[in-house]
Amino acid sequence: MTWRHATREEIYRYYAEEFPSYRDELPSFITAKGPKQYALAFREPHPVRKDGVPDKNFIRRDTWQTNTSGERTTAAFQEFDDVLEFIRHPARNDPLGRSNFALADPDLLDKPDPCPDAVYYALDHWERPWVLLVDIDAKDIARNRAAGTVSEDVDDRDNDALLNAAGILDAAPEGYPYAFEDIERAIEYGFELRDIFEDDFNAEETMVVYSGQGVHVYLLDTDPAHRYDAKSREVLNDLLQDTYGIPIDPVVTADRRRVARLPYSLHADVCSIVMPIESPTFDVRSATPEVLQS
């Protein structure tokens, strides 16, 4: 099983050869102009055009320019192909164009084309309500499991010490702050949460997405009863954690500025495709890209 950092060449091959085949599988609300931003994380920081500005290893790009009233004026991406070109070659297709704060053209530098280690889209949206996503991370499950199994007599209780004492750092996948059983448990929690949304919140449209190191659970209903504002989300966070016992990252649910990994993008830290899944028995090995199997 491939569980390692993808190479630059593998990342480029994935977005050139395999990712385009998933374009028609993207959720309907993920379009060129719907999410308010797309964002990229780079493995190596890349310079911008303006002198004196630090190199960037994470950038956000608005999908629309707006006027002083916040109304949309000019689209940064006309079609999803434009988003794809931005992902493949960010510096050469930066929506900021020739602005001083755009990425520097690698042809003018002794610097390679920046490599998208991760691709994100904004949960805040132009054409529908703020998307409700709940993040369940295997790292959090592993940390909780370690804290519950390591003796209270162990003085050093920082994360690495706890994970090491619990044997998690030595368990497969070795060197990661979780074990495969923590990922499997995150997936199980994800489907438990989907059932809670459907049974207790009367949600009609939900989605569970394997994120590479856990799951994202979506409640996608857009009727007025499910237009969760910031205060409602804080209550929801407390309910999911305290009443239902679901180990979530509450910040992801409640922060309107958050971005999420784009479905079918590559989680380059673990060589896995971020993908919607239909069963708690999902086999993470099936998320290995074909370009990494050949």
Side-chain angles (χ1 to χ4, degrees):
M1 180 177 182
T2 301
W3 202 271
R4 57 173 173 79
H5 289 259
T7 65
R8 286 178 57 91
E9 292 72 20
E10 288 169 335
I11 295 170
Y12 285 132
R13 280 191 65 199
Y14 178 75
Y15 287 111
E17 301 175 19
E18 193 165 344
F19 179 74
S21 68
Y22 291 115
R23 188 165 41 191
D24 292 340
E25 304 297 323
L26 287 169
S28 60
F29 59 89
I30 298 179
T31 63
K33 304 176 186 179
K36 291 191 175 180
Q37 292 181 328
Y38 281 96
L40 303 177
F42 302 136
R43 184 164 297 181
E44 301 290 337
H46 191 80
V48 299
R49 293 176 181 273
K50 184 176 176 62
D51 292 339
V53 176
D55 293 357
K56 303 293 185 182
N57 60 10
F58 182 82
I59 61 170
R60 294 173 178 256
R61 294 295 182 259
D62 294 341
T63 54
W64 286 86
Q65 294 178 18
T66 58
N67 59 24
T68 55
S69 300
E71 298 168 327
R72 289 175 278 178
T73 57
T74 306
F77 308 105
Q78 295 298 325
E79 306 290 342
F80 198 79
D81 281 347
D82 300 328
V83 179
L84 179 56
E85 286 305 305
F86 173 54
I87 294 170
R88 287 172 171 167
H89 299 290
R92 296 190 178 98
N93 298 279
D94 193 330
L96 293 182
R98 301 192 64 80
S99 160
N100 283 339
F101 294 96
L103 295 172
D105 188 335
D107 289 338
L108 305 178
L109 305 168
D110 185 18
K111 186 86 174 177
D113 204 8
C115 185
D117 224 35
V119 180
Y120 304 92
Y121 74 98
L123 295 174
D124 204 3
H125 204 278
W126 284 112
E127 298 164 357
R128 56 151 292 144
W130 174 18
V131 178
L132 177 58
L133 178 150
V134 176
D135 180 33
I136 303 174
D137 198 320
K139 296 189 291 292
D140 295 333
I141 293 173
R143 185 169 58 249
N144 293 340
R145 180 162 67 91
T149 58
V150 174
S151 170
E152 293 289 342
D153 296 334
V154 175
D155 293 331
D156 190 352
R157 302 189 70 81
D158 68 27
N159 282 346
D160 286 348
L162 282 176
L163 294 173
N164 188 54
I168 291 173
L169 294 182
D170 292 330
E174 291 83 357
Y176 287 81
Y178 52 79
F180 280 126
E181 68 177 272
D182 300 304
I183 297 178
E184 292 167 357
R185 186 66 184 108
I187 293 171
E188 291 172 356
Y189 273 126
F191 283 92
E192 291 176 22
L193 178 51
R194 185 194 67 174
D195 291 343
I196 290 169
F197 281 160
E198 293 177 352
D199 296 341
D200 296 357
F201 290 77
N202 298 315
E204 296 182 358
E205 188 177 359
T206 59
M207 181 171 64
V208 180
V209 174
Y210 165 63
S211 65
Q213 297 184 118
V215 291
H216 297 155
V217 186
Y218 290 79
L219 195 166
L220 295 169
D221 292 11
T222 57
D223 64 89
H226 294 96
R227 295 193 178 201
Y228 290 95
D229 60 12
K231 180 61 69 175
S232 299
R233 288 164 185 254
E234 292 176 7
V235 174
L236 176 64
N237 278 337
D238 292 342
L239 186 66
L240 294 180
Q241 294 175 102
D242 299 338
T243 301
Y244 292 103
I246 305 292
I248 68 172
D249 180 345
V251 177
V252 173
T253 309
D255 183 357
R256 194 160 199 141
R257 287 275 300 167
R258 296 294 293 203
V259 294
R261 286 184 182 271
L262 180 68
Y264 300 107
S265 65
L266 180 66
H267 193 311
D269 288 348
V270 297
C271 291
S272 280
I273 301 172
V274 176
M275 60 193 310
I277 59 178
E278 299 296 333
S279 168
T281 60
F282 173 75
D283 184 352
V284 297
R285 291 172 295 185
S286 66
T288 303
E290 291 182 7
V291 296
L292 272 66
Q293 297 175 9
S294 58

